[in-house]
Amino acid sequence: MTQEELKQFKTQVHSLYSQCQEVMNPKHSLLNRNIELENTEEQSFYMMVSDFFLQQKQDELLRERDLKNGRN
């Protein structure tokens, strides 16, 4: 793979991550649960990615709580 191809790949991955981050943001979870997906593979993908972003939000909230309570 050339440097240019690697750069394009990196850009594509970042774009996909950003799209998933926006669409599957935990604040949209109630809305997203009403979506009927095409098949079980899409449902599995959705659940895995949603769980990832939910875990990220949970970790962020726990860090904020610990900082607020004077823990590192």
Side-chain angles (χ1 to χ4, degrees):
M1 197 176 256
T2 67
Q3 286 299 104
E4 186 58 34
E5 289 171 327
L6 286 171
K7 187 176 179 182
Q8 288 175 341
F9 180 76
K10 180 181 175 184
T11 300
Q12 289 173 332
V13 169
H14 178 74
S15 178
L16 286 171
Y17 174 81
S18 296
Q19 288 174 337
C20 286
Q21 187 178 35
E22 179 57 34
V23 171
M24 297 178 183
N25 187 313
K27 70 181 178 182
H28 302 305
S29 64
L30 290 176
L31 297 173
N32 291 344
R33 293 193 192 283
N34 295 324
I35 296 170
E36 289 187 32
L37 299 171
E38 295 294 318
N39 55 50
T40 56
E41 190 173 300
E42 285 185 16
Q43 291 172 347
S44 293
F45 172 79
Y46 173 81
M47 293 305 295
M48 284 191 311
V49 176
S50 294
D51 287 348
F52 171 80
F53 287 110
L54 188 59
Q55 182 66 46
Q56 294 294 310
K57 184 63 177 176
Q58 183 180 34
D59 291 347
E60 175 187 328
L61 292 172
L62 290 172
R63 279 191 304 275
E64 288 175 8
R65 183 198 66 187
D66 288 347
L67 286 173
K68 183 178 178 181
N69 292 330
R71 293 182 234 159
N72 291 333

